[in-house]
Amino acid sequence: MRLTMMHSFYTYLQSQQTAQNYLYQCYNNIGIADAEPKSYENYSPFMYYIDHGMKFYENGKKIDPLLQPVLFFYGMVHLLKACLLTTRPSYPESTSLLAHGVSSRKRKKKHYTFMHDEVKIQHNGLFPYFSQHLFSIERFPFEKIKMNHLLALIPEMNSLFNFNNEEMMVVVGETGTNTLQIPLHLLDSYHLTEKSFLHRIKNHLPNINKLKVEQSQINIELIEPITTSHGPFFIDLGKEKILFPIHRNHFTPISEVMVHYLLLYNLSMLCRYEAEWWGELLSTKSELDYPFIRQFLEITSDKIPLLLENELLKYKRN
């Protein structure tokens, strides 16, 4: 199931009046002293970030997969910058923030595979900046991370891992509801007692109203439902399910937006600078990498605009 839907809030923000009013509301809510002049100063770049970002995605869906990683990556970058302008009215504060904030291997090893490639987080640049200011993550649970680990954190990729006889995630709830059911067998793979496991996940949940441990599962009733796809609780938007990683080493408390950014960054680098490997992968389809990359590109082209639109709506609700 594709996640395509009408992006009505993006459309709403495509006028000078609505964009300026929206930014004024954002700045006023966070206590910016010069909220009104800043909203007038920023509404034009804000509108263009959204317009250009969506056009990158729209055109990326129409072209050959050969070029899709570049268009989807820069489409995402533009939408991220629009989101940042809602909380950081002086963005970018320095030229160091214009860097990507992540790096990949410059030379690929013999028998290279995308699934086992990795990226490294940098101290400066867009990735650590938006992670901090959009998702309140200042310390990362990793310095380097592999692509197969990142792909395992995307719920819509779960079916491909299952076809490959690998179970990565388990359904623990449905979106829009206040209840979670966590199978007790997860405690074996996490090597934790019930008490230790609950202590570990409590910080990543809205306030808990009731908690009951039964024979086969832990039932959790929340005061409010989970609305954002943020690890370790990730949302499958198409199936409207909440999933949790099965394996302890995949317990990664970061936003799914960050996951897509890292994957798209690396794919865009391959697309631009590893022409032979990238061309052979798409033409011969000989590696396991191929179906995982194709599935990811289809998912991210729909899901990231939706997730980032939800970020903008969140500031509207506040």
Side-chain angles (χ1 to χ4, degrees), residues 155 171-175 234-243:
V171 174
V172 296
E174 296 184 1
T175 57
F234 294 96
I235 296 176
D236 183 324
L237 293 181
K239 296 179 180 178
E240 299 183 333
K241 302 289 186 183
I242 299 169
L243 288 88

Side-chain angles (χ1 to χ4, degrees), residues 170 172 181-201 211-220 244-249 251:
V170 61
V172 296
Q181 298 88 33
I182 300 178
L184 279 175
H185 67 75
L186 282 184
L187 274 61
D188 295 333
S189 61
Y190 277 77
H191 310 295
L192 294 172
T193 63
E194 291 173 12
K195 183 178 180 180
S196 298
F197 181 81
L198 290 169
H199 177 74
R200 187 169 190 181
I201 67 172
L211 192 153
K212 185 179 180 181
V213 180
E214 297 186 344
Q215 187 173 0
S216 62
Q217 65 186 26
I218 302 170
N219 292 317
I220 300 174
F244 189 90
I246 290 175
H247 305 292
R248 180 189 178 102
N249 63 321
F251 186 96

Side-chain angles (χ1 to χ4, degrees), residues 93-315:
E93 293 93 331
S94 69
T95 55
S96 66
L97 298 178
L98 302 177
H100 294 131
V102 60
S103 62
S104 59
R105 290 193 185 110
K106 299 303 179 187
R107 299 187 65 181
K108 305 306 178 186
K109 296 180 179 179
K110 192 176 182 181
H111 307 304
Y112 167 84
T113 65
F114 176 75
M115 298 287 278
H116 292 101
D117 196 7
E118 62 184 16
V119 290
K120 183 179 180 181
I121 309 305
Q122 301 297 311
H123 295 296
N124 297 308
L126 181 59
F127 181 76
Y129 187 84
F130 83 72
S131 299
Q132 176 184 353
H133 294 295
L134 296 183
F135 305 111
S136 302
I137 295 177
E138 297 186 41
R139 286 187 158 187
F140 298 103
F142 52 83
E143 180 184 355
K144 298 179 181 179
I145 191 165
K146 289 189 175 181
M147 300 298 100
N148 56 2
H149 185 149
L150 291 168
L151 289 168
L153 300 179
I154 299 175
E156 293 85 355
M157 295 296 301
N158 201 37
S159 59
L160 255 67
F161 282 103
N162 288 340
F163 294 149
N164 203 42
N165 298 318
E166 298 175 281
E167 263 197 299
M168 296 300 181
M169 285 186 163
V170 61
V171 174
V172 296
E174 296 184 1
T175 57
T177 67
N178 291 39
T179 57
L180 298 174
Q181 298 88 33
I182 300 178
L184 279 175
H185 67 75
L186 282 184
L187 274 61
D188 295 333
S189 61
Y190 277 77
H191 310 295
L192 294 172
T193 63
E194 291 173 12
K195 183 178 180 180
S196 298
F197 181 81
L198 290 169
H199 177 74
R200 187 169 190 181
I201 67 172
K202 275 183 179 178
N203 292 334
H204 307 291
L205 286 169
N207 291 333
I208 295 174
N209 187 32
K210 292 181 183 177
L211 192 153
K212 185 179 180 181
V213 180
E214 297 186 344
Q215 187 173 0
S216 62
Q217 65 186 26
I218 302 170
N219 292 317
I220 300 174
E221 182 181 306
L222 305 170
I223 292 177
E224 55 189 41
I226 293 173
T227 57
T228 57
S229 192
H230 194 294
F233 297 93
F234 294 96
I235 296 176
D236 183 324
L237 293 181
K239 296 179 180 178
E240 299 183 333
K241 302 289 186 183
I242 299 169
L243 288 88
F244 189 90
I246 290 175
H247 305 292
R248 180 189 178 102
N249 63 321
H250 288 155
F251 186 96
T252 313
I254 63 173
S255 167
E256 189 180 339
V257 171
M258 297 162 64
V259 173
H260 286 245
Y261 183 94
L262 295 174
L263 284 161
L264 280 174
Y265 166 80
N266 204 20
L267 283 171
S268 69
M269 294 296 284
L270 289 170
C271 176
R272 284 178 286 173
Y273 301 116
E274 297 292 336
E276 183 179 3
W277 183 88
W278 183 242
E280 285 188 1
L281 176 77
L282 296 180
S283 60
T284 66
K285 305 177 177 61
S286 60
E287 302 288 341
L288 177 66
D289 290 341
Y290 179 78
F292 280 86
I293 290 173
R294 284 302 306 270
Q295 177 92 340
F296 168 71
L297 289 174
E298 183 172 341
I299 292 165
T300 196
S301 68
D302 289 327
K303 193 169 188 179
I304 284 301
L306 287 174
L307 291 178
L308 293 179
E309 185 177 36
N310 195 49
E311 285 298 309
L312 295 173
L313 277 166
K314 181 174 69 177
Y315 305 132

